[in-house]
Each structure stands twice: as C-alpha cells, then as structure tokens.
Amino acid sequence: MNKRMRELLTQIEQKAEQAKSFKESGDFAKAKEMLDEADRLKDEYGVEKRLFEMDQDKVPDEPKPESQKSKADGFKVIAKMLKKQSLTDVEKALITGDNAANGENNLVPSDVRYEIRELRKQYKSAKNLVTVIPTETLSGGFNFESGAPAGLTEFDDGAEIDGTGDPSFVRKSFTIKNFGKLIPISNILKGAEKAGLMAYLNRWFVKNAVISENKEIFAVLKTLAEGKSAKSLKGLAALKTSLNKDLDPDALIGAVIITNQTGFDIMDSETDAVGRPLLKESYADPTVKVFKGIPIEVFSDGQLENVSGKAPVFYGSIDSACYFIEKDSLEFATSEHFFFGKNQTALRVIEGFDVIQADDSAYMYGLLEAAPEKTVTTKTSAS
C-alpha cells in the first residue's frame, strides 16, 4: 500500500462517518452526497491499487539479447555455478556489474530478483509502510527541517527578505550495512532450476530477510529524542486523545497505526456503552480494521515485542517518519567447501540496507495497556 492509497482509505472512512452523522440527524440528501463521494473515492482507490500492483510486478529492464537463443536464464546460471559448470559470455554478463562488491560476489540476475520480490508478498513487511529509497552509494544523508514550520515571510517588492524565523535543519546520515544468509543446497538439485532454487530461497532467505528488515524498522521507530519517553496509553480513549492533540493534522493524512498482536487484542476488545466494538471494518477493505478512520497494521508479538508487558504502538505518518535506504542489487556467491561433509553446496545471498528516522514529529510512539475497568457504585437507602 502506497501513501496515496492510505490517503484515499482515510478519506473514504471520513466520508462514511459523515454520512452516518447526516443520516442520524435526518439529512438524508447530505448523507447520500457523502456516500456518493465515498463511492467515487473507492473507484479511485481501486485504480490506484491496480497501478501499484502493476508497478510492483515490473521486472527491471535488462539488455536485450541479440537473439532468443542467446537469452540467459538467471536460475540456470546460478544452478550451473552451484554445480561448478562453466558459463557462457552471455551468462557471465548476467551476474557481473559495477555494483558487485568484489570478485567473490556476483549480482543476482534480474529475473531471480523479480521472483524474490514476488515471494516477499507472502509475508508481512513493514517496508510497505515506510519510504523506500534505492541507492547505489554506500553512505549519504538527508536534511530535515526541525521545529514547527514558520511559514513564508511577507516583504515589499525590491526589499530584502527577512531571515528571522528561518527554519533550522538537522542532517541524518545513513551507512549501508550488509545482511546475509548461508543457504545449504543439496548437490543433487531436484526438479527444474527455478522451482528448486525458489524453494531454497523462500525457506532460507526471503522470510528471514523480511524479519530482519522489520526488526530494524521497529528499532528506529522506537528511537526517541533526548528527554522524551514513550506515550503511556491506557485504552483507546487515550490513543484517541493523543491522535487529536499530539500530532499535527497533516500527520494524519495517510496515517497508519502499527501494533502487535497484544496491542490489537486490547483495541479489538474495547466496546462502547452498549457493547459495540470501537474498532470498525474499513469501508474500502473489510479485512482491515480502522480506528478514527486510520487503518491498523498488526505484526506478531515475536517481531514487535512487548515492552514491560505493554504493547508498542506507532501512529501517524509512518512513511514520513522512517526511511528505508536499500542497495539496489542483491549479491550472491557459492562454495562447495563450506558444507563439504554434508554433500551440500553453500549459496550465500546478501542484501544491503540502512534504516533512519526521518521526520520524528510526524508520528508518535506509545505503549498501550488495557483501559481500567469502570466501577459501578450503587446507592443504598438508610434504614
């Protein structure tokens, strides 16, 4: 889900809530107008979703081979390397490039990278909620405005613009770190190269890569400025107040709420005075629960661990709050010696990335616990 999809989702929920309000007040014409507007936004959401999925499915462009016969298959190339078979010049060109770290590491072919991206869709990835920036450099940085924006300065034609109140900036740097996995592959690679290799990659690399990426993203989102502490949230009433008062309204455009299984259970268990759940099903996607029109993303307690028995919650504009800078290539190497005693060949796959906190004012980090139970007191008459 991209930023525009989240914005549309929020707007749809808002229109639905407005329609309910107008209906309850007896203004059915206005309620119908809001529902019509929600339907129009749903159509736009559907188009945006299809475009996003098409974009996700694109395979990076490769140099076109001179003929169909000369086209190399990335899976066959890796399989040949695992078997220590010689490669043709076309096959060698598929795994070499300026991005290779050294003579030992080779670039994962684009068709294999595409299949790895497809496998990633099977797992819950926090990368979909933050801003992903591909890079070819190993280090760099970004400047972010600190403090509240001061707005524009009024000045007369020909006069100098007063610099008083100009924004101050803070620079946040990144350094690409390598994360890898050793994959033991049987020397008797059964089945087609693609099916066989993808089974190994799925089992050993893809799932573990998503887990590691999520861990790094959550660690950065838990990072607080000096002197600040996580917001104490006792139930949804406290979360509602924090959303209303602690965040700039701009941060609620395309906002998302991230929590773990414990946090979601606390939220999903809360009801109003007549026993109705406070969480609602999304008007655009019934499989998604929302609070105040903001979609809730749930991760396992194992990946997003509780803190002192309380559930972590991140809420606001998460894609503005966190940047995921990834090296735009995967690398691999093979060795027949590492698992020699097991009659297996080692395939090492490496990805490089860093995660930095961007606009720390765009979101909040809180620790959620169940709201205290309300006590009911009864009056007794004096005898």
Side-chain angles (χ1 to χ4, degrees):
M1 185 181 292
N2 59 25
K3 183 175 182 179
R4 181 55 183 160
M5 289 169 66
R6 288 195 291 272
E7 290 176 356
L8 289 169
L9 200 59
T10 301
Q11 292 174 26
I12 291 168
E13 300 301 333
Q14 291 172 346
K15 295 296 180 185
E17 290 298 323
Q18 290 171 8
K20 291 176 184 176
S21 178
F22 283 124
K23 185 203 74 171
E24 290 171 359
S25 65
D27 193 342
F28 297 105
K30 205 67 176 174
K32 183 180 182 301
E33 182 182 332
M34 292 298 102
L35 289 174
D36 290 342
E37 184 65 18
D39 286 337
R40 186 193 66 77
L41 290 169
K42 281 185 68 177
D43 290 340
E44 184 179 348
Y45 177 87
V47 172
E48 187 69 30
K49 182 180 180 182
R50 289 180 63 185
L51 288 172
F52 174 73
E53 291 173 347
M54 288 176 65
D55 187 59
Q56 291 288 96
D57 290 342
K58 286 181 181 177
V59 184
D61 294 334
E62 300 179 49
K64 292 184 178 180
E66 295 180 2
S67 67
Q68 194 65 26
K69 292 182 179 179
S70 65
K71 185 176 181 180
D73 183 321
F75 293 96
K76 290 182 179 179
V77 171
I78 296 178
K80 287 177 73 172
M81 291 187 67
L82 289 167
K83 298 172 185 177
K84 294 302 173 184
Q85 297 175 349
S86 59
L87 304 180
T88 66
D89 290 340
V90 174
E91 290 171 334
K92 290 177 182 177
L94 202 61
I95 60 172
T96 58
D98 295 336
N99 291 332
N102 51 55
E104 293 181 357
N105 286 331
N106 306 282
L107 300 182
V108 172
S110 60
D111 57 340
V112 181
R113 291 204 310 272
Y114 168 76
E115 294 296 337
I116 288 175
R117 285 201 302 273
E118 288 298 297
L119 283 177
R120 283 176 175 271
K121 295 178 182 179
Q122 301 177 12
Y123 304 104
K124 185 83 172 178
S125 174
K127 270 178 67 176
N128 298 329
L129 305 174
V130 304
T131 296
V132 179
I133 302 175
T135 183
E136 293 183 357
T137 63
L138 297 179
S139 62
F142 301 91
N143 291 324
F144 298 96
E145 185 176 353
S146 61
L152 302 179
T153 301
E154 181 182 357
F155 69 98
D156 295 327
D157 188 24
E160 291 187 4
I161 301 177
D162 185 7
T164 304
D166 281 354
S168 58
F169 293 90
V170 58
R171 182 170 178 79
K172 298 187 178 181
S173 303
F174 71 85
T175 302
I176 296 296
K177 307 175 188 67
N178 289 324
F179 297 80
K181 193 75 175 177
L182 286 173
I183 304 173
I185 295 181
S186 170
N187 285 339
I188 305 173
L189 191 60
K190 297 181 179 180
E193 287 89 351
K194 179 176 178 178
L197 283 172
M198 289 317 296
Y200 283 108
L201 287 169
N202 190 22
R203 178 183 177 188
W204 292 95
F205 177 72
V206 178
K207 183 177 181 179
N208 285 281
V210 171
I211 290 173
S212 295
E213 292 161 3
N214 290 351
K215 178 182 177 182
E216 296 296 318
I217 289 170
F218 296 148
V220 166
L221 289 175
K222 286 182 179 180
T223 304
L224 295 168
E226 187 175 352
K228 287 188 176 181
S229 58
K231 186 81 174 180
S232 178
L233 302 171
K234 294 187 177 181
L236 286 176
L239 177 59
K240 180 180 179 179
T241 299
S242 184
L243 285 165
N244 291 340
K245 299 176 67 174
D246 294 332
L247 288 172
D248 189 288
D250 288 345
L252 299 180
I253 300 174
V256 66
I257 297 170
I258 300 174
T259 190
N260 62 6
Q261 292 165 288
T262 299
F264 182 73
D265 184 60
I266 292 172
M267 296 180 187
D268 203 33
S269 299
E270 283 208 40
T271 57
D272 61 16
V274 294
R276 292 174 300 190
L278 292 179
L279 296 189
K280 307 298 182 184
E281 290 184 352
S282 167
Y283 183 71
D285 184 354
T287 64
V288 176
K289 290 290 184 72
V290 299
F291 179 65
K292 282 180 61 65
I294 302 173
I296 301 170
E297 297 286 346
V298 185
F299 290 82
S300 70
D301 285 1
Q303 291 190 50
L304 184 52
E305 297 179 351
N306 291 326
V307 179
S308 301
K310 300 177 183 179
V313 185
F314 311 114
Y315 47 102
S317 181
I318 303 301
D319 58 351
S320 298
C322 184
Y323 285 5
F324 186 97
I325 300 96
E326 64 178 353
K327 194 174 179 184
D328 61 357
S329 60
L330 292 174
E331 297 173 359
F332 78 98
T334 62
S335 171
E336 74 274 25
H337 303 298
F338 194 83
F339 294 123
F340 178 78
K342 298 181 179 180
N343 193 34
Q344 293 174 323
T345 299
L347 172 65
R348 183 180 67 200
V349 182
I350 299 173
E351 70 171 357
F353 66 85
D354 194 13
V355 186
I356 63 172
Q357 189 181 66
D359 185 359
D360 58 5
S361 67
Y363 82 110
M364 290 289 294
Y365 165 40
L367 294 176
L368 178 69
E369 57 184 317
E373 293 185 8
K374 296 179 180 178
T375 57
V376 180
T377 59
T378 58
K379 292 182 179 180
T380 58
S381 57
S383 57

